[in-house]
Amino acid sequence: MLVILLIATIFVGVLAFLGVRKKIILKIFLTSYIFIFLTIFFLPENNPLRLTLGVSLNEWISISFVFLVILGYIVVLKKIKTSNIVKYSSNSSKKNMSDVEIERYARHLVLKDIGGQGQQRLRNAKVLVVGAGGLGNPVSMYLAGAGIGTIGIIDNDVVSLSNLQRQILYREHDVGKSKVFATQKNILEINPHIEIKPYNRLLDSRNAQKLISEYDIIIDGSDNLKTRHLVNFACVKEKKPLISGAISQWEGQISLFDPSKNYPCYSCIFPETDKENLTRSCADVGVLSSLPGVIGSLMAVEAIKEITAVGDSLRGKLFLYDAMSCKTIKIEAERNKNCKVCSINEK
Ligand SMILES: [Zn+2]
């Protein structure tokens, strides 16, 4: 009997090593099992085939019992996992995930540290993306793919042909159209189970604070210093975490600003008097086409981590990426006690 079990184990191991699908291995295993059972049950004891197998009926019944216990354990374990997903879904303020959504987010649901509860947090989250350009595109695409329930996008620009070199959400037929409406249409084609709120206007001092107050996390992918400082000011006033990214030529940077938790704000690191950070216009100095993809994806990663409360955030840290040399640096950044924004304007 031990010889048969050993052969069966080696056989299954070899099939698994060769990459044969589990279903096929299971079918081969069950066919072999039934064949041996029928041989033992129907053939006389002195039959050469039965003698070769060397297993008595009692021994085979014992093996079957162990086999059924293992099978029952696997089935029960699978049921518990499925019921966990449903239980986490029912904790939500939103309606439960549909079967289609469970299938859509399956890789998150089985991912350690996200699971059903994390996915529900993502579904309930509201994220505002400032700028629908090179950074705003990959950020909103990945946030949509991740199932962020509400994504707001503000920009007053239209798609131009020169955008298509790096703004991967747009197609040639989008040229001349409003960026936020093109974003809304194309994002909903990625994921129709979320809400996109397009704001086809310039973010200014009259609308910034009210708009930012309506969201949980703000992601700034704008391309000018004036907007960056405006977003930072409103985030400080509303105590909202700000994930800010910037790109120029071959270099990019990203950080999470949150002075409400005693970490620096954007102005602590880049005061309004400082013009030397990575916000020089891409139109003037150029930018590598795939660089916004790298930095924008990192911004989406940090947003997902923040919402699901997973991992170490970039609060108080500045992450720098140099594509030319493929070097990354993470530097500590402290809050400036004399900062003209967070030291004075925090509520
Ligand atoms: Zn500050």
Side-chain angles (χ1 to χ4, degrees), residues 265 268 339 342:
C265 81
C268 290
C339 173
C342 65

Side-chain angles (χ1 to χ4, degrees), residues 232 236 259 264-269 335-336 339-343:
N232 180 57
V236 170
C265 81
Y266 181 78
S267 284
C268 290
I269 317 292
R335 192 173 179 190
N336 177 4
C339 173
K340 289 183 178 172
V341 178
C342 65
S343 63

Side-chain angles (χ1 to χ4, degrees), residues 115-214:
Q117 199 166 25
Q119 191 61 46
Q120 206 55 57
R121 285 185 176 200
L122 295 172
R123 286 178 86 229
N124 293 336
K126 297 179 78 177
V127 178
L128 178 69
V129 180
V130 180
L135 292 173
N137 273 195
V139 167
S140 50
M141 289 168 84
Y142 275 115
L143 292 185
I148 300 292
T150 306
I151 303 172
I153 299 173
I154 182 161
D155 201 311
N156 69 337
D157 203 2
V158 295
V159 180
S160 67
L161 195 59
S162 65
N163 292 153
L164 303 187
Q165 166 251 18
R166 65 198 176 285
Q167 299 182 18
I168 54 168
L169 185 57
Y170 306 127
R171 304 291 174 261
E172 203 163 296
H173 59 75
D174 290 321
V175 170
K177 293 179 185 168
S178 148
K179 282 190 175 179
V180 290
F181 294 128
T183 295
Q184 181 185 34
K185 178 182 171 295
N186 296 343
I187 285 287
L188 288 176
E189 284 178 10
I190 294 173
N191 189 351
H193 301 278
I194 60 172
E195 185 180 7
I196 301 291
K197 291 188 171 178
Y199 304 98
N200 187 23
R201 67 197 70 147
L202 186 71
L203 191 78
D204 59 30
S205 54
R206 289 166 298 174
N207 60 25
Q209 206 172 321
K210 183 179 181 307
L211 184 62
I212 280 170
S213 72
E214 294 169 9

Side-chain angles (χ1 to χ4, degrees), residues 6-260:
L6 191 65
I7 291 170
T9 309
I10 293 170
F11 187 60
V12 169
V14 169
L15 289 178
F17 180 75
L18 292 174
V20 178
R21 288 168 59 194
K22 278 181 190 171
K23 274 187 180 175
I24 295 173
I25 295 176
L26 192 66
K27 276 181 187 172
I28 295 171
F29 186 79
L30 283 175
T31 308
S32 308
Y33 173 86
I34 292 166
F35 172 76
I36 294 171
F37 178 78
L38 292 175
T39 306
I40 295 167
F41 197 78
F42 288 107
L43 293 180
E45 279 187 18
N46 57 355
N47 181 281
L49 184 58
R50 191 169 164 180
L51 288 172
T52 307
L53 288 171
V55 185
S56 72
L57 188 60
N58 285 341
E59 282 175 333
W60 200 247
I61 288 169
S62 303
I63 292 173
S64 302
F65 179 73
V66 173
F67 175 69
L68 284 173
V69 168
I70 293 170
L71 196 69
Y73 176 75
I74 293 169
V75 170
V76 169
L77 208 65
K78 211 169 183 179
K79 284 244 176 212
I80 290 170
K81 275 188 180 175
T82 311
S83 67
N84 272 348
I85 291 171
V86 175
K87 188 177 79 182
Y88 287 135
S89 303
S90 64
N91 286 342
S92 158
S93 57
K94 270 196 168 186
K95 64 181 180 7
N96 293 347
M97 269 187 269
S98 64
D99 289 345
V100 175
E101 284 176 284
I102 289 174
E103 176 72 23
R104 173 178 276 271
Y105 304 126
R107 299 300 181 274
H108 266 177
L109 296 175
V110 297
L111 181 61
K112 190 172 170 286
D113 297 319
I114 290 192
Q117 199 166 25
Q119 191 61 46
Q120 206 55 57
R121 285 185 176 200
L122 295 172
R123 286 178 86 229
N124 293 336
K126 297 179 78 177
V127 178
L128 178 69
V129 180
V130 180
L135 292 173
N137 273 195
V139 167
S140 50
M141 289 168 84
Y142 275 115
L143 292 185
I148 300 292
T150 306
I151 303 172
I153 299 173
I154 182 161
D155 201 311
N156 69 337
D157 203 2
V158 295
V159 180
S160 67
L161 195 59
S162 65
N163 292 153
L164 303 187
Q165 166 251 18
R166 65 198 176 285
Q167 299 182 18
I168 54 168
L169 185 57
Y170 306 127
R171 304 291 174 261
E172 203 163 296
H173 59 75
D174 290 321
V175 170
K177 293 179 185 168
S178 148
K179 282 190 175 179
V180 290
F181 294 128
T183 295
Q184 181 185 34
K185 178 182 171 295
N186 296 343
I187 285 287
L188 288 176
E189 284 178 10
I190 294 173
N191 189 351
H193 301 278
I194 60 172
E195 185 180 7
I196 301 291
K197 291 188 171 178
Y199 304 98
N200 187 23
R201 67 197 70 147
L202 186 71
L203 191 78
D204 59 30
S205 54
R206 289 166 298 174
N207 60 25
Q209 206 172 321
K210 183 179 181 307
L211 184 62
I212 280 170
S213 72
E214 294 169 9
Y215 288 85
D216 306 317
I217 295 177
I218 314 304
I219 297 185
D220 186 5
S222 62
D223 60 358
N224 64 86
L225 275 176
K226 189 182 172 191
T227 305
R228 286 174 184 278
H229 284 290
L230 181 66
V231 172
N232 180 57
F233 181 83
C235 286
V236 170
K237 293 288 273 184
E238 293 299 323
K239 298 188 175 175
K240 301 285 182 181
L242 166 64
I243 295 171
S244 182
I247 47 168
S248 182
Q249 297 180 305
W250 293 81
E251 295 173 24
Q253 65 190 30
I254 171 178
S255 187
L256 199 167
F257 300 107
D258 195 359
S260 70

Side-chain angles (χ1 to χ4, degrees), residues 298-310:
L298 282 172
M299 292 163 85
V301 167
E302 291 307 311
I304 291 168
K305 281 165 57 187
E306 185 67 14
I307 292 162
T308 53
V310 169

